[in-house]
């Protein structure tokens, strides 16, 4: 199915939490969880969203569904602004955009049967009819569950089956967009593949659009048309899948990819060393200039390798996302790997 652009448009979205400084402190400090994010999603498209734990992926997902309110910015679905909807309008909007969580056990009510859980969205939306039981059976069947198990409780299912229940629940209202927050991260590798194949088949059949959040870059490569890399609340690189994985421009992307096993172990890229960049920085005290500069091996190499030294521009100026000649967008003052910036390769 051809991708129609701009089904969903996110513009300069921000979320700042007020977090307590300490257990007994009254001081609050700002956590810049999502700090000016823009992207679009087309019909039938999968946008992968990657970044280390704490980079703001879940917050971004929750903002898109209005599970939490943004501090600033805009989310539009088919041109309709979602950030200013009333609570009743938000409920109605949920028939178009739904979320699937990492831990289906945590998001399923242990006291409710699967039939009750799947009926709930229809009841909340006032679209429940006696024929809806048949829909529940059909949906269970489609996601690979035995409809005869509809009266069972979550604990009677395996982890993979519970994720199928989570997907079935998200599908009950026929949404256009699914935000999948680490949907396979808690599952064994063999089960991961089954769930991913199910999601791909559902996407083809129904023209669904996915925002697929994961910290596992190998999984994201498998499912995504385009990929956005998030670092401390900002997109630092966004490109189509093959450009991002084959020719990453941002040092953070390069470092993340260096830790991913290459699909072809004999390829030159498979023998690249893992680039160690240490721990993620703090979302409460964002570094000046480029927020990645304290961890940036490329900036250090450019500054001659002295401890802590980086080019001044990296400490002073926040880089903005800019189009690359190779395709995609990158927010970096030196958006090419250092080897192509060596003195021998002077530009003409
Ligand atoms: P990810 O999903 O990429 O791991 P999150 O969106 O969960 O990242 O978190 C991004 C940042 O926002 C983290 O620093 C996290 O501690 C902080 N954060 C998330 N939710 C809250 C909250 N409700 N209150 C305060 N800080 C939060
Ligand atoms: Mg998360």
């Amino acid at each position: 199915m051809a991708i129609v652009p701009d089904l969903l448009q996110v513009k300069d979205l921000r979320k700042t939490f007020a977090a307590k400084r300490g257990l007994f402190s009254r001081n609050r400090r700002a956590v810049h969880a999502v700090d000016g994010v823009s992207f679009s999603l087309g019909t039938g498209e999968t946008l992968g969203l990657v970044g280390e734990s704490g980079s703001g992926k879940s917050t971004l997902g929750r903002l898109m569904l209005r599970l939490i309110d943004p501090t600033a910015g805009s989310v539009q679905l088919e041109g309709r602004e979602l950030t200013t909807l009333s609570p009743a309008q938000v409920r109605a909007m949920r028939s178009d955009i739904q979320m699937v969580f990492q831990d289906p056990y945590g998001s399923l009510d242990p006291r409710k049967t699967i039939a009750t859980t799947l009926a709930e969205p229809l009841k909340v939306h006032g679209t429940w009819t006696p024929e809806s039981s048949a829909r529940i059976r059909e949906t269970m069947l489609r996601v690979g569950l035995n409809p005869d198990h509809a009266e069972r409780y979550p604990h009677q299912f395996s982890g993979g089956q519970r994720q199928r229940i989570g997907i079935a629940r998200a599908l009950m209202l026929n949404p256009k967009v699914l935000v999948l927050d680490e949907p396979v991260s808690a599952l064994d590798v063999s089960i991961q593949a089954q769930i991913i194949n199910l999601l791909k088949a559902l996407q083809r059949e129904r023209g669904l659009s996915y925002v697929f959040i994961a910290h596992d870059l190998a999984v994201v490569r498998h499912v995504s048309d385009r990929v956005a890399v998030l670092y401390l609340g900002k997109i630092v690189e966004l490109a189509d899948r093959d450009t991002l994985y084959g020719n990453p421009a941002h040092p953070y992307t390069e470092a993340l990819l260096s830790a991913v096993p290459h699909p072809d172990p004999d390829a030159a890229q498979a023998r690249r060393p893992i680039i160690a960049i240490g721990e993620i920085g703090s979302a409460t005290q964002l570094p000046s200039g480029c927020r990645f500069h304290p961890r940036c091996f490329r900036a250090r190499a450019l500054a001659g390798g002295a401890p802590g030294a980086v080019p001044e521009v990296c400490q002073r100026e926040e880089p903005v996302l800019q189009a690359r000649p190779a395709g995609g967008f990158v927010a970096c003052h030196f958006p090419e790997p250092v080897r192509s910036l060596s003195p021998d390769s002077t530009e003409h």
Side-chain angles (χ1 to χ4, degrees):
M1 177 169 167
I3 290 172
V4 182
D6 298 350
L7 174 71
L8 184 81
Q9 278 219 307
V10 171
K11 277 199 195 131
D12 207 19
L13 201 57
R14 288 168 199 269
K15 179 67 183 181
T16 306
F17 292 108
K20 282 195 175 166
R21 206 172 272 278
L23 201 51
F24 303 105
S25 166
R26 288 200 201 153
N27 287 342
R28 286 177 176 268
R29 56 185 183 170
V31 181
H32 303 281
V34 172
D35 200 27
V37 166
S38 305
F39 63 85
S40 64
L41 180 72
T43 304
E45 184 183 32
T46 299
L47 177 73
L49 196 59
V50 300
E52 292 156 294
S53 176
S55 52
K57 306 181 297 295
S58 296
T59 303
L60 185 53
R62 289 158 70 210
L63 286 170
M64 281 161 28
L65 266 87
R66 276 289 296 280
L67 294 172
I68 51 174
D69 288 330
T71 307
S74 148
V75 180
Q76 293 191 348
L77 184 65
E78 295 179 315
R80 196 158 43 102
E81 181 60 50
L82 304 187
T83 57
T84 51
L85 298 180
S86 69
Q89 289 171 318
V90 166
R91 272 197 301 281
M93 172 270 279
R94 294 271 159 72
S95 63
D96 286 334
I97 173 163
Q98 281 279 326
M99 195 142 171
V100 173
F101 298 91
Q102 170 176 358
D103 172 16
Y105 202 47
S107 70
L108 294 172
D109 188 333
R111 296 157 304 176
K112 288 182 182 156
T113 65
I114 302 318
T116 306
T117 292
L118 297 186
E120 224 159 45
L122 300 176
K123 290 189 170 160
V124 168
H125 279 257
T127 52
W128 176 264
T129 65
E131 292 82 62
S132 299
S133 308
R135 260 255 11 254
I136 289 178
R137 291 181 66 86
E138 261 166 45
T139 309
M140 285 185 76
L141 202 59
R142 181 60 202 92
V143 300
L145 293 165
N146 182 345
D148 294 338
H149 296 169
E151 294 308 320
R152 295 190 181 181
Y153 292 87
H155 74 267
Q156 295 173 284
F157 295 88
S158 70
Q161 287 172 326
R162 286 200 289 264
Q163 195 52 291
R164 291 175 195 271
I165 298 167
I167 293 166
R169 178 179 55 184
L171 293 176
M172 287 307 291
L173 296 171
N174 275 327
K176 298 175 174 136
V177 179
L178 290 189
V179 176
L180 303 136
D181 191 358
E182 308 258 10
V184 300
S185 303
L187 304 175
D188 292 344
V189 173
S190 62
I191 311 290
Q192 285 191 352
Q194 293 174 12
I195 297 292
I196 284 171
N197 288 339
L198 170 64
L199 289 169
K200 285 184 148 189
L202 290 167
Q203 179 170 52
R204 275 195 306 274
E205 286 164 25
R206 300 170 185 227
L208 288 167
S209 305
Y210 294 156
V211 176
F212 191 103
I213 299 174
H215 63 269
D216 181 338
L217 276 85
V219 169
V220 169
R221 176 180 206 150
H222 201 67
V223 299
S224 303
D225 299 298
R226 285 184 303 147
V227 179
V229 181
L230 205 61
Y231 183 68
L232 287 180
K234 255 201 148 65
I235 292 179
V236 296
E237 184 158 10
L238 193 162
D240 67 66
R241 186 251 323 257
D242 292 342
T243 303
L244 191 111
Y245 281 80
N247 184 9
H250 199 284
Y252 182 57
T253 315
E254 216 190 327
L256 292 179
L257 286 177
S258 75
V260 181
H262 197 272
D264 172 8
D266 294 328
Q269 287 146 305
R271 293 192 296 273
R272 279 197 202 140
I274 291 180
I275 302 169
I277 51 172
E279 295 292 305
I280 189 167
S282 160
T284 53
Q285 286 162 312
L286 291 173
S288 65
C290 171
R291 60 194 63 203
F292 184 65
H293 88 253
R295 300 172 82 186
C296 187
F297 55 93
R298 191 184 292 167
R300 277 200 302 277
L302 288 165
V310 297
E312 208 216 321
V313 65
C314 301
Q315 296 183 54
R316 196 187 58 228
E317 250 177 63
E318 171 141 57
V320 292
L321 266 187
Q322 280 181 322
R324 281 179 85 189
F329 298 84
V330 59
C332 177
H333 295 301
F334 301 99
E336 299 301 330
V338 171
R339 58 185 175 280
S340 63
L341 290 167
S342 67
D344 315 340
S345 62
T346 328
E347 283 174 43
H348 296 284

